[in-house]
């Protein structure tokens, strides 16, 4: 057999494929356009100007001041056109040079649209392989030996002989071949439309903002098996339906939490009433969450919300383990949790208004745009703004257009727990109360225990489960230290079951009809067992449940012979509930993670202590500045309120978020940051060096230059990145003013410096942070330090002005502190005193009206109650 180099016919797109021909045709037109502009313009000018097309000198004064003739006008126009042509040629040369060396071309002064046109045309030539650059090897044909051809022929023959076996093999291996997509942003190549075919250049232009970055997409995907079994070998040959990994800074592209299923687009899986309408997703259709995160969004969001609630009570002695909190922040989807919470409250309010019973919900699906309730039996009469699908088997609520507060409304279904995320990226929850019996969790014992712990954690922290009380056995002891004491760990399960049996009647209630009117009654209860139990305990646990919906639910890991539902989970974290047609990537949390979260709560419960000398330590900024420097700075970075970078041009929102995070991190680390460290901070899941370098360059361009032409984003000899003194951060200005107040020579000077510092406080620190970003803030003690410094300074100014004849100034100082720490009751007491001194009883009442919503469910401290009773003897703070 010869060694002739013949490409495997099954591995590449056919050279006469319409998509390939269309792409080559488009790039040929681009090549002709570039040739026409570079060569055609001089020819056209020669034809117009006759024998002397080239300007030999600048126009003279006499020419410009003499009577305008047609010849003079033509000469001026020719001169202008020649200048424009030369400028375009320079732009083309710059872009060609950059393309050949594989970098990004520096902006040509005044280049603007001309350089963009040159860039687009040169990029088209790159893809057409007219210009040879670093991607030439990527686009070179692949040579195959004769043995490879023979092997391909054998495979092809086998496939033709057994087409059913081939299809089965492809279906079995397709998803496995796509597991590399998990955790990455993925673009699916679009089908041809109106003669247009997707190509790497256009994809890079759309999602990365620069067509030349197609090389990055190529490098991320070359050699990877696609759903049709082929691989990306040539940058110019891609197929509809291929899934391409794109860099993390891509916009308008979602991150894949599970590899795509082998099902066709019509095989859509949905939660059904015991079955699926089409092909159910196989176990291989989902994958465990990437990066070792603490479960998926809702699990992390509920834990973080409970931690934030605990921290609002007091300034803790420390922030705790920043690594654990950073993982939570990176995984959490608080917007979905808030959306679900509000949708459930809205459902309760709508049912109450319509005097209708709550619908019989057994499962819920939540994405960024809608909440879907799965009902059994179906109901075709929705309430409020809810609409029906599937003949009443599903009720759907879209995102809210208004901001109407529903905080006071009761939430139904406290036993809703998120099992995980399905292949569409939706969080899937089930209502354990609707099972009407024991729910079993079998499969891999270790993973089943982690799933059980995740369910217990959610039930003890979720805002929609405030009426739930969790009794857990065989799970990490740290669970009892998480949340607001809703979770209780017991060592003797049999004894606990005896207690529950004695109190069974009071807790058994029809929660669908009873919850509409109840406010204070027995809470719902959940028993979670993280390990197999004896047959005797199986029977007793079964006796706690009933045949209908109950307010007492039981979940047992290890299986149960009389289970109404069985949750099966394998060693990879794939969870399915066959009775409901649910398949998800399971929420899981291990012993170490539980203890880490419990340590965060423990740190938050330890009260802060004064530093040496009885004062709060204020860390000195590396660059002392003041409010004047902040006000006049050409570039400003704000973190004491809604995050902001001002003085920069407007760019696409997704890019603004990324660039702002980079600039803010550098502003808070003025000593300089190595690019590798910065990449690890901004992309904790990893990023290629060329992508991180491109983002740094984009940030440099975004910040621009100062009046001397020096970039605001600097790089030292060792490559460390930092911001110039022209970029001022509000945290630096506030600290500088507060430190100067400490050494003020007079009381008046101290008051003035404190007042100037507090005027820079716009709100709570790092407000408005986009989801999934700024997890690095948790690594240090920054937020807690900011809080204690601002509160201490505000209280100092309140004390300085409270005993004087300036109650208004004292009130303003307290209000500034409360903008930063809205639930700080020491500041509220200072405001109550100041308002009483200025406005009497009316001022106190006005303050109490503002304090109640600001506390957001926190109990009123005894000192606050005593102060209110002093000023309003007939009114307690809790009743105001």
């Amino acid at each position: 057999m010869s060694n002739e180099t013949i490409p495997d016919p099954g591995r590449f797109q056919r050279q006469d494929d319409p998509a390939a021909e269309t792409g080559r045709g488009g790039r040929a037109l681009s090549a002709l356009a570039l040739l026409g502009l570079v060569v055609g313009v001089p020819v056209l000018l020669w034809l117009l100007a006759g024998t002397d097309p080239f300007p030999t000198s600048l126009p003279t004064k006499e020419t410009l001041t003499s009577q305008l003739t047609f010849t003079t006008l033509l000469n001026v126009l020719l001169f202008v056109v020649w200048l424009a042509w030369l400028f375009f040629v320079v732009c083309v040369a710059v872009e060609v040079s950059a393309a050949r060396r594989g970098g990004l071309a520096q902006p040509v002064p005044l280049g603007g649209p001309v350089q963009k046109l040159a860039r687009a045309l040169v990029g088209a030539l790159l893809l057409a392989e007219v210009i040879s650059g670093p991607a030439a090897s990527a686009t070179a044909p692949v040579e195959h030996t004769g043995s490879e051809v023979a092997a391909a022929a054998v495979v092809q023959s086998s496939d033709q002989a057994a087409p059913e076996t081939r299809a089965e093999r492809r279906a079995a291996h397709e998803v496995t071949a796509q597991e590399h997509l998990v955790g990455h942003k993925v673009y699916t190549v679009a089908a041809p439309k109106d003669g247009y075919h997707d190509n790497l250049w256009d994809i890079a232009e759309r999602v990365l903002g620069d067509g030349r970055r197609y090389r990055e997409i190529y490098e991320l995907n070359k050699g990877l098996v696609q759903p049709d079994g082929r691989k990306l070998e040539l940058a110019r040959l891609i197929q509809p339906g291929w899934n391409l990994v794109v860099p993390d800074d891509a916009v308008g592209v979602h991150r894949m939490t599970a590899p795509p299923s082998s099902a066709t687009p019509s095989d859509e899986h949905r939660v059904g009433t015991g079955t699926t309408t089409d092909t159910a997703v196989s176990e291989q259709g989902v994958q465990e969450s990437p990066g070792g995160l603490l479960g998926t969004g809702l699990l992390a969001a509920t834990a973080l919300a409970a931690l934030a609630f605990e921290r609002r009570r007091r300034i803790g002695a420390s922030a705790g383990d920043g690594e654990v909190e950073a993982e939570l922040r990176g995984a959490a989807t608080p917007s979905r949790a808030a959306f679900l919470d509000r949708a459930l409250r809205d459902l309760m309010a709508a049912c109450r208004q319509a005097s209708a019973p709550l619908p019989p919900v057994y499962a819920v699906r939540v994405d960024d745009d809608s909440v879907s309730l799965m009902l059994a039996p179906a109901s075709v009469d929705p309430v409020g703004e809810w609409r029906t699908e599937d003949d009443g088997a599903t009720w759907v609520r879209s995102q809210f257009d208004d901001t109407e507060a529903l905080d006071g409304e009761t939430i139904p279904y406290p036993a809703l727990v998120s099992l995980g995320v399905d292949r569409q990226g939706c969080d899937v929850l089930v209502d354990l109360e609707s099972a009407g019996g024991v729910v079993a969790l079998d499969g891999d014992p270790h993973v089943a225990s982690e799933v059980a712990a995740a369910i217990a954690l959610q039930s003890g922290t979720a805002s929609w489960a405030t009426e739930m009380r969790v009794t857990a056995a065989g799970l990490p002891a740290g669970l009892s230290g998480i949340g607001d004491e809703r979770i209780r760990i017991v060592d003797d399960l049999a004894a606990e079951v005896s207690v529950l049996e004695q109190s069974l009647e009071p807790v058994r209630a029809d929660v669908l009809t009873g919850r509409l009117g109840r406010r204070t009654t027995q809470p719902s209860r959940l028993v979670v067992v993280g390990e197999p139990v004896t047959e005797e305990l199986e029977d007793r646990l079964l006796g706690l449940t009933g045949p209908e919906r109950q307010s007492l639910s039981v979940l047992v890991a290890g299986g149960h012979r009389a289970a109404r539902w069985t949750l099966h989970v394998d060693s990879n974290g794939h969870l399915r509930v066959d009775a409901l047609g649910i398949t998800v990537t399971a929420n899981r949390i291990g012993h170490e993670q539980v203890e880490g979260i419990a340590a965060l709560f423990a740190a938050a419960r330890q009260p802060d202590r004064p530093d040496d000398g009885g004062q709060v330590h204020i860390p000195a900024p590396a660059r002392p500045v003041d409010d004047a420097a902040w006000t006049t700075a050409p570039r400003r970075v704000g973190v004491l309120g809604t995050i902001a970078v001002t003085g920069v041009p407007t760019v696409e929102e997704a890019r603004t978020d990324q660039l702002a995070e980079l600039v803010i991190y550098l502003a808070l680390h003025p000593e300089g940051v190595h690019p590798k460290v910065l990449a690890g901070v901004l992309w904790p899941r990893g990023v290629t060096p060329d992508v991180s370098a491109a983002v740094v360059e984009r940030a440099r361009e975004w910040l621009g230059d100062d009046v001397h032409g020096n970039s605001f984003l600097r790089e030292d000899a060792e490559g460390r990145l930092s911001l110039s003194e022209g970029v001022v951060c509000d945290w630096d200005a506030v600290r500088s003013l507060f430190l100067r107040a400490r050494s003020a020579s007079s009381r008046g000077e101290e008051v003035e410096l404190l007042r100037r510092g507090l005027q820079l406080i716009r709100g709570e620190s790092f407000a408005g942070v986009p989801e999934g970003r700024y997890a690095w803030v948790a690594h240090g003690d920054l937020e807690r330090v900011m809080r204690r410094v601002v509160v201490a300074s505000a209280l100092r100014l309140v004390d300085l002005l409270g005993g004087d004849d300036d109650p208004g100034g004292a009130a303003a100082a307290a209000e500034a502190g409360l903008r930063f720490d809205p639930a700080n009751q020491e500041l509220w007491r200072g405001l109550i005193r100041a308002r009483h001194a200025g406005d009497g009883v009316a001022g106190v009442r006005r303050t109490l009206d503002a304090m109640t919503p600001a506390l957001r469910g926190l109990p009123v401290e005894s000192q606050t109650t005593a102060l209110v009773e002093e000023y309003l003897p007939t009114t307690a703070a809790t009743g105001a």
Side-chain angles (χ1 to χ4, degrees), residues 741-807:
R742 292 268 176 97
S743 58
S745 58
S746 65
R747 175 181 176 278
E749 182 184 3
E750 181 182 6
V751 167
E752 181 60 22
L753 289 170
L754 288 173
R755 180 182 284 120
R756 287 165 57 186
L758 290 173
Q759 286 176 345
L760 298 180
I761 305 300
R762 296 172 290 112
E764 298 181 61
S765 62
F766 295 96
V769 166
E771 282 187 11
R773 294 192 179 273
Y774 295 83
W776 50 267
V777 176
H779 283 294
D781 209 17
L782 180 60
E783 287 180 302
R784 191 187 71 91
V785 169
M786 287 179 170
R787 185 180 174 193
R788 68 199 305 259
V789 166
V790 171
V791 169
S793 300
L795 289 172
R796 172 61 178 167
L797 186 55
V798 169
D799 291 340
L800 288 173
L801 299 177
D804 201 354
D805 295 329
D806 190 5

Side-chain angles (χ1 to χ4, degrees), residues 591-611:
H591 180 275
E592 183 177 350
Q593 295 167 327
V594 168
E595 298 303 326
I597 298 177
L600 293 175
F601 279 85
R605 294 181 178 120
Q606 291 293 325
D608 188 26
R609 298 182 302 274
D611 298 311

Side-chain angles (χ1 to χ4, degrees), residues 38 108 119 138 257 306 345 393 525 558 587 590 695 703 769 778-779 809 823:
V38 175
V108 176
R119 180 180 304 167
T257 58
R345 295 179 192 272
R525 297 192 183 185
N587 290 332
V695 173
L703 286 175
V769 166
H779 283 294

Side-chain angles (χ1 to χ4, degrees), residues 56-76:
T56 58
S57 63
L58 294 173
T60 64
K61 180 179 180 181
E62 289 75 14
T63 302
L64 296 176
T65 58
S66 62
Q67 184 177 0
L68 183 65
T69 65
F70 176 77
T71 302
T72 303
L73 179 62
L74 180 60
N75 288 336
V76 172

Side-chain angles (χ1 to χ4, degrees), residues 78 149 154 241 349 452 454 540 613 623 670 728 781 807 833:
L78 285 173
V149 176
V154 172
R540 295 179 65 188
R623 299 172 185 166
V728 178
D781 209 17
R833 294 188 184 95

Side-chain angles (χ1 to χ4, degrees), residues 93-137:
V94 170
E95 293 297 328
V96 170
S97 175
R100 290 182 64 84
R101 70 172 183 267
L104 297 178
Q106 292 295 324
V108 176
L110 304 178
V114 178
Q115 188 174 7
K116 288 184 179 179
L117 174 62
R119 180 180 304 167
L121 293 174
V122 170
L125 298 184
L126 276 173
L127 284 178
E129 301 176 34
V130 176
I131 300 175
S132 176
S137 61

Side-chain angles (χ1 to χ4, degrees), residues 101-318:
R101 70 172 183 267
L104 297 178
Q106 292 295 324
V108 176
L110 304 178
V114 178
Q115 188 174 7
K116 288 184 179 179
L117 174 62
R119 180 180 304 167
L121 293 174
V122 170
L125 298 184
L126 276 173
L127 284 178
E129 301 176 34
V130 176
I131 300 175
S132 176
S137 61
T139 59
V142 179
E143 297 184 351
H144 299 271
T145 64
S147 59
E148 289 175 315
V149 176
V154 172
V155 172
Q156 186 176 14
S157 175
S158 174
D159 287 344
Q160 291 173 346
E164 291 184 359
T165 302
R166 177 189 181 190
E168 292 172 356
R169 186 163 58 251
R170 173 172 293 180
H173 294 289
E174 179 180 311
V175 173
T176 303
Q178 296 277 279
E179 289 181 358
H180 63 273
L181 301 176
V182 177
H184 296 284
K185 288 188 174 181
V186 176
Y187 177 94
T188 302
V189 179
K193 183 177 182 181
D194 298 331
Y196 171 78
H197 295 259
D198 243 350
N199 59 81
L200 290 186
W201 180 278
D202 289 348
I203 293 170
E205 186 71 35
R206 282 195 296 270
V207 305
L208 299 174
D210 189 344
R212 293 171 301 175
R213 296 184 64 188
Y214 81 92
R215 297 190 196 93
E216 299 175 30
I217 302 178
Y218 174 81
E219 291 297 331
L220 288 171
N221 293 275
K222 66 179 181 180
L224 299 181
V225 179
Q226 292 295 332
D228 60 3
R230 288 185 276 184
K231 301 177 182 179
L232 177 62
E233 302 283 359
L234 300 178
R236 56 189 170 88
L237 297 180
I238 58 176
Q239 296 293 332
W242 279 14
N243 297 307
L244 303 178
V245 177
V246 294
D248 276 358
D249 61 329
V251 298
V253 184
H254 295 291
R255 193 177 302 279
M256 183 166 288
T257 58
S261 169
S262 60
T264 64
S266 62
D267 294 333
E268 296 181 355
H269 170 68
R270 65 178 181 86
V271 179
T273 56
T275 60
T276 54
T277 55
D278 296 292
T279 304
V281 183
S282 67
E283 285 190 21
Q284 290 77 18
V286 288
Q287 281 288 324
E288 54 188 325
S289 299
L293 299 175
L294 299 170
T296 48
L298 286 184
L299 172 64
T302 57
L304 272 181
L307 180 61
F309 185 84
E310 189 64 46
R311 286 176 173 171
R312 286 201 302 270
R313 297 175 184 266
R314 68 189 69 80
I315 300 176
S318 69

